[in-house]
Amino acid sequence: VDLIVHNAIVYTVDNDFKTAQAFAVKNGLFLGIGKSVDILKKYSSKKIIDAKAKPIYPGFYDPHSHFFNYAQTLWQADLVGTKSFNEIIQRLKLFNAQHPDSKWIMGRGWDQNDWAVKQFPSKELLDKAFPKKPVALVRVDGHAMILNSEALKLAEITSNTKVDGGLVELKNGEPTGILVDNAMRLARQVFPKPTKAELTKMLLAAQKECFKLGLTTISDAGINTLEIELLDELNKANQLKIRDYAMIRMSVENLDYYLKKGVYKTERLNVRSFKIVGDGALGSRGACLLEPYSDSPTEGFLLSSYTVLDQNISRIYNSDFQANTHCIGDSTNRLILDIYGKNLKGKNDRRWRIEHAQIVTKVDLPKFGKYSIIPSIQTTHATSDMYWAGDRLGAERLKTAYGFKDLLEQNGLLANGSDFPVEAVNPLFGFHSAVARQDAKNFPTDGFQMENVITRQQALKAMTIWAAYANFEEKERGSIEVGKMADFVLLEADLMKIDQKKLRNVKVLSTFLGGEKVF
């Protein structure tokens, strides 16, 4: 055989959640799994790995991420963790000094909820620091950005600019520089575009980071035809090896093209779903709520009209494609669950997903089970938002948010991703958030809304076999079983047994894709 691994604690994550000690791999697939003595006796190989009693798991999945976006952020100013807008200015000055030839200053990761004054910034400080160079800084959730005056001018955004499903914020009748949701498209049209060579370099760097953290299958929640074709080209050239579940960005043009073309699947690329964006994010008050925000008179907004959403989802129903809709607010969750239900009618195997499923009323919760809808959640959102989510929602409505156990009980499964680069890429952060409902500093001591905690076994399934199921890939990956692709990860400590306070710091020792070591 091509590879034998023995003397391990192998979590197969099969139906019985069995453990084994060893396995053999041939032609990229698991050939035999069992006790070390039996595997070593039955098979021979030039490549034998003694795992030294370390744990092995199926390769980790991230069923909701933004691989292309993350790749590009590696070449932008990192604004995550900044404690004030002044700190952002300092980081940007350093970034500009390091990249003096860049035509724009791009950055991502700021969050006004981390600042002493928890309000959207405005463009004045950016204008003072960079009067002639355009600056565009995307909020951590990807649903708002701030531009300086030079960037506003290039994007032709004025006090008269109006956008459906978006906001150009005004103060004293003038743009503050803040754009929310669909308004950001105006700025993106004038952003500098990386060349194909630059984009390839970015994607390969992003792949390296993912492999380092044990991810073997990631996703691209909303990309266009050119990006999908680049992934396929890099796959075929054997440059890009990571497996990608590419969700097609919803548009009439993309619907027309892909419904005619049909599902496209290779060993590394799976194109069989459309990513629909229902509303914005809670942090930027773009999530659409049934009642106004507790800290603002707005109810948020849908990013497309009911009619458009209804028509597009009906077209997907009459195809082989999956519908995956971003729903944060309770109003959006209700709306999409009902549109899904109108098409699906009852139990089914279409595996349509609600991405995030963040705030769901008790009335709407059973619809997940009634229509076999998969909650595709991000447990780190709960532990990132918990400090301020109550301000947005109020105590009573907060109880219906981040209800992962309640959602799991509807169909007996969850798909847990990270939404990177909104959150960190490391899948173990999500594992820890799921089982402890605490942040990196193990706060709060007793966990956040612990009535919705899930078990370690459930958390592991949500990033392996259940995530694979949500991608229609459970027959080929997601567990360590004979005949499946040999994607696996070797860790330094056992996620099932160590103190939960140590979970985020567990190191990946090696990552294998189809039996090939990639980290």
Side-chain angles (χ1 to χ4, degrees):
V1 296
D2 301 323
L3 173 68
I4 293 172
V5 179
H6 69 104
N7 187 22
I9 305 163
V10 181
Y11 285 90
T12 64
V13 197
D14 64 3
N15 286 337
D16 300 317
F17 208 78
K18 291 195 298 285
T19 56
Q21 296 175 334
F23 52 77
V25 175
K26 189 170 179 65
N27 298 327
L29 305 176
F30 293 112
L31 184 65
I33 302 160
K35 292 181 179 177
S36 291
V37 63
D38 296 334
I39 295 296
L40 290 167
K41 187 177 179 182
K42 185 173 182 180
Y43 302 102
S44 63
S45 178
K46 292 176 182 175
K47 200 171 188 179
I48 299 177
I49 296 174
D50 179 350
K52 298 179 181 173
K54 297 292 185 186
I56 288 177
Y57 305 90
F60 297 145
Y61 263 73
D62 194 319
H64 184 110
S65 57
H66 301 274
F67 187 60
F68 262 86
N69 283 359
Y70 170 63
Q72 293 181 64
T73 64
L74 297 176
W75 269 256
Q76 298 174 3
D78 181 5
L79 307 179
V80 174
T82 46
K83 299 301 180 190
S84 68
F85 203 59
N86 280 319
E87 185 182 343
I88 285 177
I89 298 295
Q90 296 311 310
R91 287 200 194 184
L92 295 180
K93 285 179 176 177
L94 180 62
F95 181 84
N96 191 43
Q98 294 168 340
H99 304 84
D101 297 329
S102 62
K103 293 178 181 176
W104 282 61
I105 297 173
M106 311 287 287
R108 178 164 179 150
W110 61 270
D111 184 354
Q112 81 281 10
N113 294 310
D114 292 341
W115 306 343
V117 180
K118 302 182 191 304
Q119 295 174 353
F120 274 152
S122 57
K123 64 182 191 268
E124 287 77 20
L125 288 175
L126 286 178
D127 288 347
K128 187 178 176 184
F130 308 101
K132 294 183 179 177
K133 186 178 266 195
V135 181
L137 311 176
V138 178
R139 191 180 183 276
V140 66
D141 59 12
H143 286 268
M145 69 170 66
I146 182 165
L147 307 183
N148 69 345
S149 292
E150 185 66 15
L152 286 169
K153 186 171 76 175
L154 290 170
E156 299 180 355
I157 295 169
T158 69
S159 54
N160 297 318
T161 305
K162 299 286 184 287
V163 184
D164 289 335
L167 172 71
V168 176
E169 187 185 69
L170 301 178
K171 189 174 182 180
N172 301 323
E174 286 299 314
T176 63
I178 289 288
L179 309 179
V180 181
D181 287 311
N182 286 350
M184 297 190 297
R185 294 176 187 172
L186 303 172
R188 290 200 172 107
Q189 288 172 3
V190 296
F191 284 177
K193 301 282 190 292
T195 65
K196 186 176 174 182
E198 288 169 339
L199 202 47
T200 299
K201 191 176 178 183
M202 293 172 186
L203 290 168
L204 294 177
Q207 171 180 256
K208 188 176 179 182
E209 289 302 307
C210 289
F211 284 155
K212 194 189 296 183
L213 295 166
L215 288 168
T216 53
T217 301
I218 46 87
S219 50
D220 261 306
I223 57 174
N224 61 37
T225 305
L226 288 176
E227 290 166 330
I228 290 169
E229 288 173 351
L230 178 59
L231 288 174
D232 195 34
E233 183 184 323
L234 295 175
N235 287 164
K236 287 172 177 170
N238 210 32
Q239 286 183 274
L240 203 61
K241 298 180 179 183
I242 198 162
R243 309 192 199 278
D244 195 330
Y245 193 72
M247 304 181 206
I248 307 154
R249 184 178 297 137
M250 173 56 71
S251 70
V252 173
E253 296 77 19
N254 286 344
L255 260 177
D256 291 344
Y257 178 77
Y258 282 99
L259 293 188
K260 186 177 178 182
K261 179 183 171 80
V263 169
Y264 178 74
K265 190 170 185 300
T266 68
E267 204 174 89
R268 291 173 178 163
L269 182 62
N270 195 350
V271 186
R272 62 165 306 139
S273 66
F274 283 92
K275 165 71 182 303
I276 305 160
V277 184
D279 60 355
L282 196 65
S284 45
R285 296 189 186 87
C288 193
L289 303 179
L290 292 166
E291 301 292 335
Y293 281 77
S294 296
D295 58 359
S296 177
T298 182
E299 293 167 8
F301 41 78
L302 293 174
L303 300 198
S304 298
S305 69
Y306 172 86
T307 303
V308 169
L309 291 166
D310 187 38
Q311 288 173 348
N312 289 342
I313 290 168
S314 294
R315 289 188 68 188
I316 295 170
Y317 179 72
N318 292 310
S319 75
D320 293 329
F321 283 87
Q322 178 190 46
N324 298 337
T325 308
H326 164 117
C327 300
I328 300 288
D330 49 11
S331 178
T332 316
N333 274 285
R334 174 172 293 177
L335 179 82
I336 298 299
L337 285 166
D338 287 344
I339 294 175
Y340 276 14
K342 185 173 75 169
N343 288 279
L344 299 170
K345 296 180 175 63
K347 294 283 187 184
N348 61 85
D349 192 34
R350 295 297 297 268
R351 306 188 196 183
W352 283 12
R353 293 161 43 168
I354 297 284
E355 306 297 323
H356 312 306
Q358 206 158 294
I359 308 151
V360 183
T361 69
K362 290 181 180 177
V363 172
D364 295 314
L365 193 64
K367 295 172 186 174
F368 283 88
K370 185 177 180 180
Y371 303 120
S372 306
I373 296 166
I374 298 172
S376 171
I377 54 94
Q378 297 75 40
T379 51
T380 47
H381 283 354
T383 52
S384 291
D385 298 358
M386 62 184 175
Y387 316 101
W388 50 263
D391 296 337
R392 296 282 190 277
L393 299 172
E396 205 53 41
R397 197 163 38 178
L398 183 63
K399 293 175 185 174
T400 68
Y402 316 101
F404 307 133
K405 184 181 178 185
D406 288 342
L407 288 163
L408 187 155
E409 288 171 350
Q410 297 308 306
N411 294 299
L413 60 89
L414 290 170
N416 185 21
S418 69
D419 203 13
F420 72 68
V422 175
E423 303 277 359
V425 179
N426 194 333
L428 298 187
F429 290 7
F431 185 89
H432 174 252
S433 288
V435 303
R437 292 184 73 100
Q438 294 174 318
D439 65 12
K441 296 178 181 175
N442 300 300
F443 172 86
T445 307
D446 298 324
F448 169 65
Q449 298 191 164
M450 288 298 282
E451 66 274 13
N452 264 298
V453 74
I454 64 174
T455 68
R456 295 192 192 210
Q457 188 177 126
Q458 290 165 341
L460 182 60
K461 286 180 175 180
M463 56 198 271
T464 54
I465 192 64
W466 289 345
Y469 177 86
N471 288 9
F472 293 88
E473 293 167 351
E474 79 282 4
K475 290 180 180 173
E476 58 202 61
R477 300 202 291 284
S479 61
I480 296 175
E481 297 184 79
V482 171
K484 287 193 176 184
M485 295 177 184
D487 295 358
F488 61 94
V489 57
L490 178 70
L491 266 56
E492 66 174 358
D494 193 339
L495 301 178
M496 297 294 117
K497 294 176 181 174
I498 63 166
D499 184 334
Q500 67 182 29
K501 291 178 181 175
K502 297 178 180 177
L503 286 169
R504 286 184 184 236
N505 298 318
V506 173
K507 294 285 183 288
V508 172
L509 298 178
S510 49
T511 303
F512 286 78
L513 198 78
E516 176 194 354
K517 187 174 181 180
V518 290
F519 170 71

